[in-house]
Amino acid sequence: MSNSFKITIHPYNREVTASPKTDFLDVLLQSGIKVESDCGGKGTCGKCRVKILSGKVKANPAHHKKHLSKSDIKSGVVLACQVKVLSNLEVKIEKLIESVIPKKSLNISQVSLKPEPLVKKLYIKLKPPSPEDTTPDLDRLLACLPVNTEVSDYNILPNLTEKIRQEDFKITAVTSGNRLLSVEPLDTTNQLYGIAFDLGTTTLMGALLDLNTGKTVQVLARDNPQMVFGSDVISRADYALKKKDGIFKLKQTLVKVLNDIINKLALLQNIKNDDIYEITVVGNTMMTHLFLGLNPYYLVRSPFISVHSKMLIFYARETGLEINSTGQVVVLPNVAAFVGSDILGALIACEFDRPEERTKLLIDLGTNSEIALSTKNRVLVCSTAAGPAFEGAHIKSGMRALEGAIENIELNYPPNLKVIGNSKPRGICGSGLVNIVAKFLDAGLISVSGRFTEISHWKGYPALINRFRKGGKTEYFIISHREHNAIDENIVLMQKDIRELQMAKAAIRAGISVLMKEVGVNYGDIDKVFLAGSFGNYIDPIMAIKIGLLPPVNPEIIQPTGNAAGEGAKWALVSRKALFKFTSLKKRIEYIELARKPEFREEYLKVLPFPDNNISWED
């Protein structure tokens, strides 16, 4: 038997090799080819479809029968995660992963803080040594710096003498707190940049800031390439723990794309990577663990213990990030296993650290949603597993908010669809799912229980009846026709999709209710609601209230905050005071573990049905 097989992959026309009986999904991942794999290779999502054009594989029939039609199987379609390589292959990727096309251009928002970064530069003209002054070079330099400045990096010493004398004792010292980071010839004080990273489960955001002015000069977003290992952090933890070198692969995959962002930001600003001296990092607790290459075993098992929660500072070279090697990477503190530094960043950007009379609510909507409630004397935070419905995962025709995603509907005939990019519809994104279900509820096509109503209730929309399909346990509505009437060929709203959305919105509303009961406030007491994250930025608050995702408050008090976590990371980069707010606010936060609250299940069951449509805002 051959030690390896040759595999040709279309439409890339790429050739790779694989050992016998290798999982085909691993072959694709190791080759850098992206395929959809929400479940991280467990065979439960059915999205990693490939067509075998020639060659032999060993397939798992149970998963294929569940996710593929008879015609799919007959034509050679398989799930990449459920086949092993048995010969040379020629294959075609059925569905390519595309990069995110934002609904709006990335805005370069500015931090309204006086620049006072942790990293500073000081230009110095040293007095040359003489027979009367034989002070060692390092001592001579330290004497010109703030008291107690120390050398903690050996790499400064070998070339120190040459750098000091290179330009006639004219140098720039780079410091961080009481640490000397670097020594550079001449005056380089105008070259001082930093990057704030938000490590999202789905999207990575990087903002380049001029630390002398505090201004954001460039912003970039990239898909998180770890999505091929699973759409949610639990799937990625499972991959890390079960696959050979899983932790290393996840870390390296992430670091590689972060370096791509760093290089592109530097290029766009026409600066060198060496001009970047600091990086701040926020993310959920799992993402920061994977960034650091930490074992997540105990993080995902009761009692859910993280490796660290404090603010950590490393030299850039220790993390693999390609900025000035003597620069530093600040990993901001986590709150708990499922409440990371990203929620701290969002709270600081929304000024939850300031005690005041107002009652404020912050909701970061996502697969793992964080909720914070602030009153005069208390800040409470919880995390609730809403599931991936808001990202379009586990939805039959679901997709991310890319070009071609349906984001709204008007129930005309045929239905009038609003599609991202004004292009041909390809699927339904999370905000589109919320809007569609809300419109169906308003029209009486879905009941408060979440079931499609009987056809007799559709009399106000007779032309839509022929789009409704009911047979056995399968009920669905055809949102948009494709080529045929087969369910796999149309964009549809399934009964199961409605249930997924119900469970997601109920988890969030129940979490909100538990926090409110904890501090004894009602919906009418809430003065401000912040919606954080990209999903929260684009969701229609009125539609979200209609389905019971958001509480029945006046929509005028609801404020989308965009990437609030990234804003918090920028604040920490620009201002030492803001940086240390992360630590002080963390000490004030009361983390509420919902799993230990019996009332959470009670509230969940109470809000699982959709509200009736006669909504009145609570003032």
Side-chain angles (χ1 to χ4, degrees):
M1 180 180 290
S2 171
N3 290 327
S4 63
F5 296 123
K6 183 176 75 172
I7 300 173
T8 304
I9 304 170
H10 300 290
Y12 301 97
N13 293 323
R14 185 180 301 178
E15 287 190 358
V16 298
T17 59
S19 302
K21 297 186 178 181
T22 302
D23 288 341
F24 189 63
L25 181 61
D26 283 345
V27 174
L28 295 174
L29 298 182
Q30 291 168 17
S31 305
I33 293 174
K34 297 180 181 180
V35 293
E36 284 200 82
S37 179
D38 290 347
C39 65
K42 297 177 184 176
T44 56
C45 72
K47 292 190 175 182
C48 58
R49 295 162 57 107
V50 297
K51 179 178 283 189
I52 306 298
L53 303 178
S54 67
K56 295 181 181 180
V57 295
K58 180 181 179 181
N60 183 327
H63 287 287
H64 285 94
K65 287 180 181 179
K66 181 178 179 181
H67 294 291
L68 302 175
S69 66
K70 290 181 180 179
S71 61
D72 283 334
I73 295 173
K74 188 175 180 179
S75 67
V77 176
V78 297
L79 301 180
C81 69
Q82 296 299 309
V83 296
K84 295 184 183 297
V85 178
L86 297 182
S87 72
N88 294 335
L89 296 176
E90 187 171 2
V91 303
K92 179 183 177 183
I93 306 297
E94 285 278 283
K95 191 173 182 181
L96 307 180
I97 287 185
E98 301 177 49
S99 296
V100 170
I101 302 174
K103 295 182 183 178
K104 298 178 181 177
S105 299
L106 291 170
N107 293 320
I108 299 183
S109 59
Q110 299 298 343
V111 176
S112 57
L113 295 174
K114 177 184 177 182
E116 190 186 4
L118 194 60
V119 175
K120 295 182 178 180
K121 282 189 168 185
L122 179 63
Y123 175 62
I124 305 169
K125 177 65 171 74
L126 292 175
K127 183 179 179 181
S130 66
E132 294 75 30
D133 181 3
T134 59
T135 304
D137 287 339
L138 179 60
D139 293 0
R140 186 180 304 275
L141 170 60
L142 292 177
C144 298
L145 298 177
V147 178
N148 298 325
T149 300
E150 299 175 350
V151 176
S152 57
D153 184 3
Y154 165 80
N155 291 281
I156 293 174
L157 297 177
N159 299 316
L160 179 65
T161 295
E162 290 80 0
K163 286 183 177 180
I164 287 176
R165 287 166 174 77
Q166 183 175 326
E167 297 294 341
D168 193 26
F169 292 87
K170 298 172 184 177
I171 63 163
T172 297
V174 187
T175 64
S176 174
N178 67 341
R179 296 190 304 153
L180 177 65
L181 297 181
S182 181
V183 177
E184 302 170 352
L186 292 178
D187 183 357
T188 63
T189 53
N190 65 333
Q191 300 161 11
L192 183 62
Y193 291 86
I195 295 177
F197 273 125
D198 176 16
L199 307 185
T201 307
T202 304
T203 306
L204 306 171
M205 298 284 294
L208 179 69
L209 284 82
D210 183 332
L211 298 185
N212 284 314
T213 64
K215 289 185 177 180
T216 304
V217 292
Q218 299 288 344
V219 179
L220 279 179
R222 291 284 186 272
D223 286 346
N224 187 331
Q226 292 180 337
M227 286 190 298
V228 297
F229 303 104
S231 63
D232 58 84
V233 292
I234 300 302
S235 297
R236 292 178 204 176
D238 193 58
Y239 183 92
L241 297 171
K242 292 183 178 179
K243 296 289 186 176
K244 182 181 178 181
D245 297 326
I247 297 172
F248 175 79
K249 289 176 183 176
L250 284 160
K251 173 183 168 59
Q252 289 303 106
T253 300
L254 181 59
V255 168
K256 182 177 184 298
V257 75
L258 294 181
N259 281 330
D260 288 343
I261 293 174
I262 291 169
N263 293 329
K264 185 64 179 296
L265 288 171
L267 183 65
L268 288 171
Q269 192 60 22
N270 195 28
I271 63 173
K272 297 178 295 184
N273 288 40
D274 276 353
D275 295 332
I276 304 169
Y277 292 86
E278 185 173 359
I279 286 176
T280 52
V281 176
V282 296
N284 63 55
T285 308
M286 180 63 74
M287 282 304 306
T288 56
H289 273 54
L290 296 178
F291 166 64
L292 295 172
L294 305 180
N295 190 323
Y297 183 86
Y298 295 103
L299 188 61
V300 294
R301 286 166 173 78
S302 182
F304 309 112
I305 305 300
S306 60
V307 175
H308 80 96
S309 67
K310 295 181 179 295
M311 180 165 58
L312 302 174
I313 302 179
F314 303 99
Y315 286 112
R317 61 177 178 273
E318 297 173 324
T319 66
L321 296 184
E322 296 171 355
I323 63 170
N324 193 300
S325 63
T326 62
Q328 59 188 23
V329 175
V330 181
V331 181
L332 292 158
N334 298 313
V335 176
F338 297 106
V339 178
S341 53
D342 51 353
I343 196 68
L344 268 178
L347 291 173
I348 287 169
C350 295
E351 299 186 324
F352 273 60
D353 59 299
R354 294 170 54 184
E356 55 183 51
E357 296 293 336
R358 295 195 306 166
T359 298
K360 298 186 291 188
L361 180 67
L362 182 141
I363 310 167
D364 191 344
L365 295 167
T367 302
N368 190 67
S369 296
E370 293 89 10
I371 304 162
L373 181 66
S374 171
T375 60
K376 182 178 180 181
N377 299 313
R378 302 176 69 183
V379 180
L380 278 66
V381 173
C382 71
S383 171
T384 181
F390 299 141
E391 300 287 351
H394 295 182
I395 303 300
K396 179 63 181 178
S397 298
M399 64 178 289
R400 294 174 57 207
L402 311 176
E403 184 172 347
I406 298 169
E407 58 179 349
N408 209 346
I409 189 172
E410 295 299 333
L411 295 179
N412 307 317
Y413 188 80
N416 184 27
L417 305 176
K418 182 180 179 183
V419 182
I420 298 175
N422 296 317
S423 61
K424 187 176 180 179
R426 297 169 45 223
I428 305 169
C429 64
S431 58
L433 181 63
V434 169
N435 290 336
I436 289 170
V437 171
K439 297 289 180 67
F440 273 57
L441 281 167
D442 263 353
L445 309 183
I446 296 175
S447 69
V448 294
S449 69
R451 301 285 305 182
F452 281 115
T453 56
E454 295 296 326
I455 293 299
S456 59
H457 291 82
W458 293 48
K459 58 185 179 181
Y461 300 87
L464 298 181
I465 292 176
N466 66 354
R467 284 179 171 249
F468 181 63
R469 301 285 188 272
K470 183 175 182 179
K473 296 182 179 180
T474 303
E475 295 183 4
Y476 61 94
F477 181 86
I478 299 172
I479 301 293
S480 177
H481 285 285
R482 286 181 179 165
E483 297 176 2
H484 309 289
N485 285 332
I487 187 170
D488 290 331
E489 299 294 338
N490 293 318
I491 299 174
V492 298
L493 176 67
M494 301 284 294
Q495 179 65 69
K496 181 183 75 69
D497 300 335
I498 301 170
R499 290 289 184 229
E500 289 281 347
L501 182 60
Q502 275 185 281
M503 291 187 290
K505 67 96 179 175
I508 291 167
R509 277 293 300 278
I512 295 171
S513 296
V514 170
L515 294 190
M516 293 178 66
K517 287 187 174 183
E518 191 76 20
V519 295
V521 298
N522 300 312
Y523 292 129
D525 298 323
I526 298 174
D527 299 296
K528 196 77 174 176
V529 178
F530 296 94
L531 295 183
S534 58
F535 179 72
N537 203 43
Y538 295 111
I539 196 172
D540 184 328
I542 294 178
M543 297 297 105
I545 293 171
K546 282 182 180 292
I547 70 166
L549 170 60
L550 297 181
V553 298
N554 189 328
E556 293 182 0
I557 72 169
I558 299 175
Q559 178 182 328
T561 62
N563 184 23
E567 287 300 301
K570 287 163 62 174
W571 284 33
L573 188 63
V574 169
S575 167
R576 296 178 63 184
K577 290 181 180 178
L579 174 65
F580 292 108
K581 281 183 181 180
F582 276 78
T583 300
S584 59
L585 178 58
K586 177 188 169 182
K587 291 178 180 178
R588 287 184 55 211
I589 286 178
E590 301 173 51
Y591 174 62
I592 306 298
E593 178 59 71
L594 294 180
R596 298 179 183 177
K597 292 284 184 180
E599 58 266 38
F600 175 71
R601 178 168 176 76
E602 297 171 10
E603 291 296 324
Y604 178 85
L605 294 174
K606 187 187 299 182
V607 297
L608 190 58
F610 292 114
D612 63 48
N613 292 328
N614 298 316
I615 297 174
S616 60
W617 317 126
E618 293 198 18
D619 297 319

